[in-house]
Amino acid sequence: MQSNKSKLKTVLMQGNEAIARGALAAGLDFFAGYPITPSTEIAEICSVELPKFGGKFLQMEDEIASISAIIGASLAGAKTMTATSGPGYSLMTEGIGFAKMTETPCVVVNVMRGGPSTGLPTKPSQADIMQAKWGNHGDAPAIVLYPNSVSESYELSIRAMNLAEKYRTCVVLLSDEVLGHMREPIELPNLANVKIVKRITPTKPPEWYQHYPDNPKYPMPKASFGEGYRFHVTGLSHDSKGFPTNRADETAVLMSRLRNKILHHIDDIVQLESFQMEDAKVAIFAAGITSRAAKEAVMIARKNGVKVGMLRPLTIWPFPDAAVRKLLEDQETIIIPELNEGQLSREIKRVMGCSWNSESKTCKYIVQLNKTNGQLITPEEIFNLIKEVI
Amino acid sequence: MSKETFKWEIRLSGSGGQGLITAGIILARAAVLDKLLVTQTQSYGPESRGGYSRADVIISNKEFYYPEAVNFDVLLSLTQDACEAYAKNLKDSGILIADTTNVKNIVPMNAKIYELPLTEIAMEKLGTILPTNILSLAFLVKITGVVSESSLKKAVSDSLKPQFKNLNLKAIKIGFELANRYKK
């Protein structure tokens, strides 16, 4: 718990505003974006706030240009973010892959709405959970965070900016239409107490600088263009100075670094909330806005004498396999409500050793609750399902 | 404040352009000023005017999680469509405030009903229908006591542009006076 001194005052704030203000607190210098419901407020607030202290806001012609602009600005030394929703995110995936390959820190916010395509602009979904991991071509692990409240939107926005710097990668921050537009009281922290991962610039002489070191330390230093350090940036497989290579040994080093910098730091990246799980016989696994209904369902169930708990990933990717398995393995029933056709439940089935749509007995206790009509799953719907399955 | 826990689930409903989301934000701000827990959510279509619109405000002195109103303690309906769509989710012990300028038929219900021509009253007393949202909200606040009257006034002052402040403070006064007529 933070001391009272670290908090300033309580204000009513919208989820999208909290994301923008969190990024600003983490040192955001540059935002480029193209407006799209339900993410537009993030761009609007950045357009007002960034110029106040010399930061830059660019409205681009589309989402491909937006992601390209934040990658370029990041290479030049800025801390960068863009925000979009499903249709724009699809366009950004090429750039997200480029940011991961070139190890250029940036944050992409996806405020999820109903899809596919332009779908339901003003309605929530959680259907981009897999897209956030697999969206780019090629195989590169993702860091993806998903809050469930306004104050957590603020905190995870700071965290996304910090993780992007620390591991020099593109971090995706998920939200959804209800969370993005919802207003709640938030205690704003004293900015002096916000922990920020500053960009570490190299101390080596320029001629010894490796933009892509073979044995990196994290936070991973990064020179910026214009500082006298010579390095090359390409989406092609590259060597330690960034120049293209076809060599198998150099490519293997690059690919293992991209993988291991995430997988070897999984304990640093993963956050899980465990709610009333100590004596639970039924576990609800839920993320984002749906976890709010899940928590309420836990309270309703316990009032009715059913021992239910909730497990919630704040980090969706890398998926917290080991922690989830440990917390769920003794449950009699696992209920997975989500606003998609079964994306988190697919992961839970994988982690618990069940194949997709498995008919095996051991996997019968994993029950999905899916909704894709633009409405939230309610606490009553979850509780009714609990009554059905126990 | 008494230690008894309470939770108000309030839905403000009507059509786009009637200022219901603004009213919801102002009610939520007033709740923050009263140091209560609150969530404000909304649902609307892609249109900027017309179409349906609703704002939910949940106010409690105890932690709660689900942010949308499910079974309403208070339903404000400024249109017939909204009243028809949401009346079934009003608690038997709840309160319906219906703007009879637009709401012509109300289904039988156990909830307490306040029927008054809110839009017409705004037009007649203020010369414009624009502050109907705030007039209605003031009526709601006075009837229910969900937030303090002073916090509502401060939230309106804090939230609106200077050129609309006086008009809306007048609307609050009219809303309070209307509610006083019902009070014993």
Side-chain angles (χ1 to χ4, degrees), chain A residues 324-360:
Chain A
V324 166
R325 192 179 297 120
K326 188 164 175 282
L327 284 159
L328 293 183
E329 63 190 354
D330 295 328
Q331 295 299 316
E332 287 167 10
T333 307
I334 301 167
I335 293 178
I336 306 148
E338 47 183 335
L339 302 176
N340 57 50
E341 302 283 5
Q343 300 190 11
L344 284 175
S345 61
R346 198 175 199 274
E347 286 304 296
I348 294 294
K349 285 175 185 180
R350 178 184 61 75
V351 167
M352 304 309 282
C354 304
S355 61
W356 176 239
N357 278 344
S358 172
E359 290 300 314
S360 85

Short mmCIF file of all heavy atoms in Angstrom, two decimals, chain A residues 324-360:
data_model
loop_
_atom_site.label_atom_id
_atom_site.label_comp_id
_atom_site.label_asym_id
_atom_site.label_seq_id
_atom_site.Cartn_x
_atom_site.Cartn_y
_atom_site.Cartn_z
N VAL A 324 -1.21 -20.00 -13.24
CA VAL A 324 -2.61 -20.33 -13.45
C VAL A 324 -2.86 -21.81 -13.15
O VAL A 324 -3.82 -22.18 -12.46
CB VAL A 324 -3.04 -19.98 -14.90
CG1 VAL A 324 -4.38 -20.61 -15.25
CG2 VAL A 324 -3.11 -18.47 -15.07
N ARG A 325 -1.96 -22.66 -13.61
CA ARG A 325 -2.12 -24.10 -13.38
C ARG A 325 -2.14 -24.40 -11.89
O ARG A 325 -2.99 -25.12 -11.39
CB ARG A 325 -0.99 -24.88 -14.06
CG ARG A 325 -1.23 -26.39 -14.13
CD ARG A 325 -0.10 -27.12 -14.83
NE ARG A 325 0.05 -26.73 -16.22
CZ ARG A 325 1.15 -26.18 -16.73
NH1 ARG A 325 2.20 -25.94 -15.97
NH2 ARG A 325 1.21 -25.86 -18.00
N LYS A 326 -1.22 -23.76 -11.17
CA LYS A 326 -1.11 -24.00 -9.73
C LYS A 326 -2.40 -23.57 -9.01
O LYS A 326 -2.89 -24.27 -8.13
CB LYS A 326 0.09 -23.21 -9.19
CG LYS A 326 0.45 -23.50 -7.76
CD LYS A 326 1.86 -22.97 -7.49
CE LYS A 326 2.23 -23.13 -6.02
NZ LYS A 326 1.62 -22.08 -5.18
N LEU A 327 -2.94 -22.43 -9.42
CA LEU A 327 -4.11 -21.90 -8.72
C LEU A 327 -5.41 -22.60 -9.12
O LEU A 327 -6.39 -22.57 -8.38
CB LEU A 327 -4.23 -20.39 -8.97
CG LEU A 327 -3.24 -19.55 -8.16
CD1 LEU A 327 -3.04 -18.18 -8.81
CD2 LEU A 327 -3.71 -19.38 -6.72
N LEU A 328 -5.43 -23.18 -10.32
CA LEU A 328 -6.69 -23.77 -10.80
C LEU A 328 -6.76 -25.29 -10.67
O LEU A 328 -7.83 -25.88 -10.81
CB LEU A 328 -6.94 -23.38 -12.27
CG LEU A 328 -7.22 -21.89 -12.55
CD1 LEU A 328 -7.52 -21.69 -14.03
CD2 LEU A 328 -8.37 -21.35 -11.70
N GLU A 329 -5.60 -25.95 -10.40
CA GLU A 329 -5.61 -27.41 -10.55
C GLU A 329 -6.51 -28.12 -9.53
O GLU A 329 -6.97 -29.22 -9.79
CB GLU A 329 -4.19 -27.98 -10.53
CG GLU A 329 -3.44 -27.77 -9.24
CD GLU A 329 -1.96 -28.15 -9.38
OE1 GLU A 329 -1.58 -28.67 -10.45
OE2 GLU A 329 -1.21 -27.91 -8.42
N ASP A 330 -6.76 -27.51 -8.38
CA ASP A 330 -7.61 -28.18 -7.38
C ASP A 330 -9.08 -27.78 -7.47
O ASP A 330 -9.88 -28.15 -6.60
CB ASP A 330 -7.08 -27.88 -5.97
CG ASP A 330 -5.70 -28.48 -5.76
OD1 ASP A 330 -5.44 -29.55 -6.37
OD2 ASP A 330 -4.89 -27.89 -5.03
N GLN A 331 -9.43 -27.01 -8.47
CA GLN A 331 -10.82 -26.55 -8.58
C GLN A 331 -11.72 -27.66 -9.13
O GLN A 331 -11.30 -28.44 -9.98
CB GLN A 331 -10.90 -25.34 -9.51
CG GLN A 331 -10.17 -24.13 -8.98
CD GLN A 331 -10.74 -23.65 -7.67
OE1 GLN A 331 -11.95 -23.57 -7.50
NE2 GLN A 331 -9.87 -23.30 -6.72
N GLU A 332 -12.97 -27.69 -8.61
CA GLU A 332 -13.93 -28.67 -9.14
C GLU A 332 -14.53 -28.18 -10.46
O GLU A 332 -14.91 -28.97 -11.31
CB GLU A 332 -15.04 -28.90 -8.10
CG GLU A 332 -14.53 -29.72 -6.92
CD GLU A 332 -15.49 -29.71 -5.74
OE1 GLU A 332 -16.63 -29.22 -5.89
OE2 GLU A 332 -15.07 -30.17 -4.67
N THR A 333 -14.64 -26.87 -10.57
CA THR A 333 -15.19 -26.27 -11.78
C THR A 333 -14.46 -24.97 -12.09
O THR A 333 -14.15 -24.20 -11.18
CB THR A 333 -16.70 -25.95 -11.59
OG1 THR A 333 -17.37 -27.14 -11.16
CG2 THR A 333 -17.34 -25.47 -12.87
N ILE A 334 -14.19 -24.75 -13.37
CA ILE A 334 -13.61 -23.47 -13.79
C ILE A 334 -14.56 -22.86 -14.81
O ILE A 334 -14.92 -23.51 -15.80
CB ILE A 334 -12.22 -23.66 -14.43
CG1 ILE A 334 -11.26 -24.35 -13.44
CG2 ILE A 334 -11.65 -22.32 -14.88
CD1 ILE A 334 -9.99 -24.85 -14.10
N ILE A 335 -14.98 -21.63 -14.54
CA ILE A 335 -15.89 -20.94 -15.45
C ILE A 335 -15.14 -19.79 -16.11
O ILE A 335 -14.48 -19.01 -15.42
CB ILE A 335 -17.13 -20.44 -14.69
CG1 ILE A 335 -17.93 -21.67 -14.24
CG2 ILE A 335 -17.98 -19.51 -15.56
CD1 ILE A 335 -19.15 -21.36 -13.44
N ILE A 336 -15.24 -19.71 -17.43
CA ILE A 336 -14.49 -18.68 -18.15
C ILE A 336 -15.46 -17.82 -18.96
O ILE A 336 -15.80 -18.15 -20.10
CB ILE A 336 -13.41 -19.31 -19.06
CG1 ILE A 336 -12.52 -20.24 -18.22
CG2 ILE A 336 -12.56 -18.22 -19.72
CD1 ILE A 336 -12.00 -21.41 -18.98
N PRO A 337 -15.92 -16.70 -18.38
CA PRO A 337 -16.78 -15.78 -19.12
C PRO A 337 -15.93 -14.80 -19.92
O PRO A 337 -14.95 -14.27 -19.40
CB PRO A 337 -17.54 -15.05 -18.00
CG PRO A 337 -16.62 -15.09 -16.82
CD PRO A 337 -15.70 -16.26 -16.99
N GLU A 338 -16.27 -14.58 -21.15
CA GLU A 338 -15.52 -13.60 -21.96
C GLU A 338 -16.35 -13.13 -23.14
O GLU A 338 -17.20 -13.86 -23.64
CB GLU A 338 -14.16 -14.16 -22.41
CG GLU A 338 -14.21 -15.55 -23.00
CD GLU A 338 -12.82 -16.09 -23.37
OE1 GLU A 338 -11.91 -15.29 -23.62
OE2 GLU A 338 -12.68 -17.32 -23.44
N LEU A 339 -16.05 -11.90 -23.59
CA LEU A 339 -16.82 -11.28 -24.67
C LEU A 339 -16.18 -11.63 -26.02
O LEU A 339 -15.76 -10.77 -26.79
CB LEU A 339 -16.88 -9.76 -24.48
CG LEU A 339 -17.49 -9.28 -23.16
CD1 LEU A 339 -17.42 -7.77 -23.05
CD2 LEU A 339 -18.93 -9.76 -23.00
N ASN A 340 -16.09 -12.93 -26.28
CA ASN A 340 -15.59 -13.45 -27.55
C ASN A 340 -16.05 -14.90 -27.63
O ASN A 340 -16.79 -15.36 -26.77
CB ASN A 340 -14.06 -13.32 -27.62
CG ASN A 340 -13.39 -14.03 -26.46
OD1 ASN A 340 -13.67 -15.19 -26.17
ND2 ASN A 340 -12.51 -13.33 -25.77
N GLU A 341 -15.59 -15.61 -28.66
CA GLU A 341 -16.08 -16.98 -28.86
C GLU A 341 -15.25 -18.02 -28.10
O GLU A 341 -15.41 -19.22 -28.32
CB GLU A 341 -16.11 -17.32 -30.36
CG GLU A 341 -16.98 -16.39 -31.21
CD GLU A 341 -18.47 -16.66 -31.09
OE1 GLU A 341 -18.88 -17.50 -30.27
OE2 GLU A 341 -19.24 -16.00 -31.82
N GLY A 342 -14.32 -17.57 -27.24
CA GLY A 342 -13.58 -18.54 -26.44
C GLY A 342 -12.08 -18.43 -26.63
O GLY A 342 -11.45 -19.39 -27.07
N GLN A 343 -11.50 -17.28 -26.31
CA GLN A 343 -10.07 -17.07 -26.54
C GLN A 343 -9.27 -17.36 -25.27
O GLN A 343 -8.29 -18.11 -25.31
CB GLN A 343 -9.82 -15.64 -27.06
CG GLN A 343 -10.56 -15.41 -28.37
CD GLN A 343 -10.20 -14.12 -29.09
OE1 GLN A 343 -9.24 -13.44 -28.76
NE2 GLN A 343 -10.99 -13.75 -30.08
N LEU A 344 -9.69 -16.78 -24.12
CA LEU A 344 -9.01 -17.12 -22.87
C LEU A 344 -9.27 -18.58 -22.50
O LEU A 344 -8.39 -19.26 -21.97
CB LEU A 344 -9.50 -16.21 -21.73
CG LEU A 344 -8.99 -14.77 -21.71
CD1 LEU A 344 -9.68 -14.00 -20.60
CD2 LEU A 344 -7.48 -14.72 -21.54
N SER A 345 -10.48 -19.06 -22.77
CA SER A 345 -10.81 -20.44 -22.39
C SER A 345 -9.93 -21.43 -23.16
O SER A 345 -9.58 -22.48 -22.65
CB SER A 345 -12.29 -20.73 -22.61
OG SER A 345 -12.62 -20.58 -23.96
N ARG A 346 -9.55 -21.05 -24.37
CA ARG A 346 -8.65 -21.89 -25.16
C ARG A 346 -7.30 -22.02 -24.45
O ARG A 346 -6.72 -23.10 -24.40
CB ARG A 346 -8.46 -21.24 -26.54
CG ARG A 346 -7.93 -22.14 -27.60
CD ARG A 346 -7.93 -21.36 -28.93
NE ARG A 346 -7.85 -22.26 -30.06
CZ ARG A 346 -6.70 -22.70 -30.55
NH1 ARG A 346 -5.57 -22.33 -30.01
NH2 ARG A 346 -6.70 -23.52 -31.59
N GLU A 347 -6.85 -20.91 -23.88
CA GLU A 347 -5.58 -20.94 -23.15
C GLU A 347 -5.70 -21.77 -21.88
O GLU A 347 -4.78 -22.53 -21.53
CB GLU A 347 -5.14 -19.51 -22.80
CG GLU A 347 -4.61 -18.74 -23.97
CD GLU A 347 -3.45 -19.44 -24.65
OE1 GLU A 347 -2.40 -19.61 -24.01
OE2 GLU A 347 -3.60 -19.82 -25.83
N ILE A 348 -6.82 -21.62 -21.17
CA ILE A 348 -7.00 -22.38 -19.93
C ILE A 348 -7.04 -23.87 -20.24
O ILE A 348 -6.44 -24.68 -19.54
CB ILE A 348 -8.31 -21.94 -19.20
CG1 ILE A 348 -8.17 -20.49 -18.73
CG2 ILE A 348 -8.63 -22.86 -18.04
CD1 ILE A 348 -7.12 -20.28 -17.65
N LYS A 349 -7.71 -24.24 -21.32
CA LYS A 349 -7.77 -25.65 -21.71
C LYS A 349 -6.38 -26.16 -22.05
O LYS A 349 -6.02 -27.28 -21.70
CB LYS A 349 -8.73 -25.85 -22.88
CG LYS A 349 -10.18 -25.75 -22.43
CD LYS A 349 -11.15 -25.82 -23.59
CE LYS A 349 -12.56 -25.61 -23.06
NZ LYS A 349 -13.57 -25.67 -24.11
N ARG A 350 -5.59 -25.34 -22.72
CA ARG A 350 -4.22 -25.73 -23.06
C ARG A 350 -3.40 -25.93 -21.78
O ARG A 350 -2.74 -26.96 -21.61
CB ARG A 350 -3.57 -24.63 -23.93
CG ARG A 350 -2.12 -24.91 -24.29
CD ARG A 350 -1.48 -23.76 -25.07
NE ARG A 350 -1.43 -22.50 -24.33
CZ ARG A 350 -0.58 -22.24 -23.33
NH1 ARG A 350 0.29 -23.15 -22.94
NH2 ARG A 350 -0.62 -21.07 -22.71
N VAL A 351 -3.51 -24.94 -20.88
CA VAL A 351 -2.72 -25.00 -19.65
C VAL A 351 -3.13 -26.20 -18.79
O VAL A 351 -2.29 -26.85 -18.18
CB VAL A 351 -2.89 -23.67 -18.85
CG1 VAL A 351 -2.37 -23.80 -17.44
CG2 VAL A 351 -2.19 -22.53 -19.57
N MET A 352 -4.42 -26.51 -18.78
CA MET A 352 -4.91 -27.60 -17.95
C MET A 352 -4.85 -28.94 -18.68
O MET A 352 -5.38 -29.94 -18.19
CB MET A 352 -6.35 -27.31 -17.47
CG MET A 352 -6.52 -25.99 -16.73
SD MET A 352 -5.35 -25.72 -15.38
CE MET A 352 -6.07 -26.76 -14.11
N GLY A 353 -4.26 -28.94 -19.87
CA GLY A 353 -4.04 -30.19 -20.58
C GLY A 353 -5.25 -30.72 -21.32
O GLY A 353 -5.38 -31.92 -21.55
N CYS A 354 -6.16 -29.84 -21.69
CA CYS A 354 -7.35 -30.26 -22.45
C CYS A 354 -7.22 -29.74 -23.88
O CYS A 354 -6.85 -28.60 -24.09
CB CYS A 354 -8.61 -29.67 -21.85
SG CYS A 354 -8.80 -30.08 -20.12
N SER A 355 -7.57 -30.58 -24.82
CA SER A 355 -7.54 -30.09 -26.19
C SER A 355 -8.81 -29.31 -26.47
O SER A 355 -9.79 -29.38 -25.73
CB SER A 355 -7.41 -31.26 -27.17
OG SER A 355 -8.53 -32.10 -27.01
N TRP A 356 -8.79 -28.55 -27.51
CA TRP A 356 -9.92 -27.72 -27.90
C TRP A 356 -11.19 -28.57 -28.09
O TRP A 356 -11.16 -29.56 -28.79
CB TRP A 356 -9.55 -26.97 -29.18
CG TRP A 356 -10.63 -26.13 -29.77
CD1 TRP A 356 -11.18 -26.24 -31.00
CD2 TRP A 356 -11.28 -25.02 -29.15
NE1 TRP A 356 -12.12 -25.29 -31.19
CE2 TRP A 356 -12.22 -24.52 -30.07
CE3 TRP A 356 -11.19 -24.42 -27.90
CZ2 TRP A 356 -13.04 -23.44 -29.79
CZ3 TRP A 356 -12.00 -23.34 -27.62
CH2 TRP A 356 -12.91 -22.87 -28.55
N ASN A 357 -12.25 -28.22 -27.42
CA ASN A 357 -13.51 -28.95 -27.47
C ASN A 357 -13.36 -30.42 -27.06
O ASN A 357 -14.04 -31.29 -27.55
CB ASN A 357 -14.14 -28.88 -28.87
CG ASN A 357 -14.90 -27.58 -29.05
OD1 ASN A 357 -15.20 -26.90 -28.08
ND2 ASN A 357 -15.19 -27.24 -30.29
N SER A 358 -12.41 -30.66 -26.17
CA SER A 358 -12.15 -32.02 -25.73
C SER A 358 -13.39 -32.61 -25.07
O SER A 358 -14.10 -31.94 -24.33
CB SER A 358 -11.00 -32.02 -24.74
OG SER A 358 -10.86 -33.29 -24.17
N GLU A 359 -13.65 -33.87 -25.36
CA GLU A 359 -14.78 -34.57 -24.74
C GLU A 359 -14.32 -35.36 -23.52
O GLU A 359 -15.12 -36.02 -22.86
CB GLU A 359 -15.43 -35.51 -25.76
CG GLU A 359 -16.17 -34.78 -26.89
CD GLU A 359 -17.31 -33.89 -26.39
OE1 GLU A 359 -18.10 -34.35 -25.55
OE2 GLU A 359 -17.38 -32.73 -26.83
N SER A 360 -13.01 -35.29 -23.22
CA SER A 360 -12.52 -36.10 -22.10
C SER A 360 -13.11 -35.60 -20.78
O SER A 360 -13.38 -34.41 -20.60
CB SER A 360 -10.99 -36.04 -22.04
OG SER A 360 -10.58 -34.90 -21.32
#
